[in-house]
Amino acid sequence: MNSFWNEARDAGHFDKLQTIYINREPDTGGEAVDKWLATSKIREKVKLLSLGDLKDPSGLYLDDPEQFRARFQAVLDAAVP
């Protein structure tokens, strides 16, 4: 289980949300997300974001601040269940 996520403590906070976006990092962090999400009660609501070689949205911003909004929207549009 991910050291930050505690199913019993955290999952209920997302009950009223329809969609939950989670950034899947391109390293072992992404693999850890896959592992805990597979058995989580939120898994049906989750869409995974992929930022390619970039670790997180701040990296996307720093890579090209002027194009961040358009690029991040494209990432959201391409998110997969």
Side-chain angles (χ1 to χ4, degrees):
M1 177 173 284
N2 182 307
S3 61
F4 297 108
W5 179 261
N6 179 298
E7 185 74 18
R9 179 195 65 208
D10 301 329
H13 295 291
F14 297 91
D15 286 346
K16 294 181 181 180
L17 298 179
Q18 245 182 328
T19 305
I20 303 163
Y21 291 95
I22 296 178
N23 181 47
R24 189 184 183 289
E25 297 177 1
D27 57 15
T28 56
E31 293 169 10
V33 167
D34 292 344
K35 191 179 258 187
W36 68 260
L37 189 56
T39 59
S40 176
K41 78 176 206 173
I42 70 166
R43 70 183 170 278
E44 300 300 323
K45 298 178 177 193
V46 168
K47 289 192 175 186
L48 295 173
L49 304 177
S50 175
L51 298 168
D53 293 335
L54 300 170
K55 185 172 173 115
D56 56 36
S58 67
L60 187 68
Y61 175 81
L62 293 172
D63 186 56
D64 188 349
E66 291 182 17
Q67 293 300 314
F68 173 74
R69 291 183 124 209
R71 292 174 70 197
F72 192 62
Q73 186 62 57
V75 168
L76 292 173
D77 293 344
V80 295

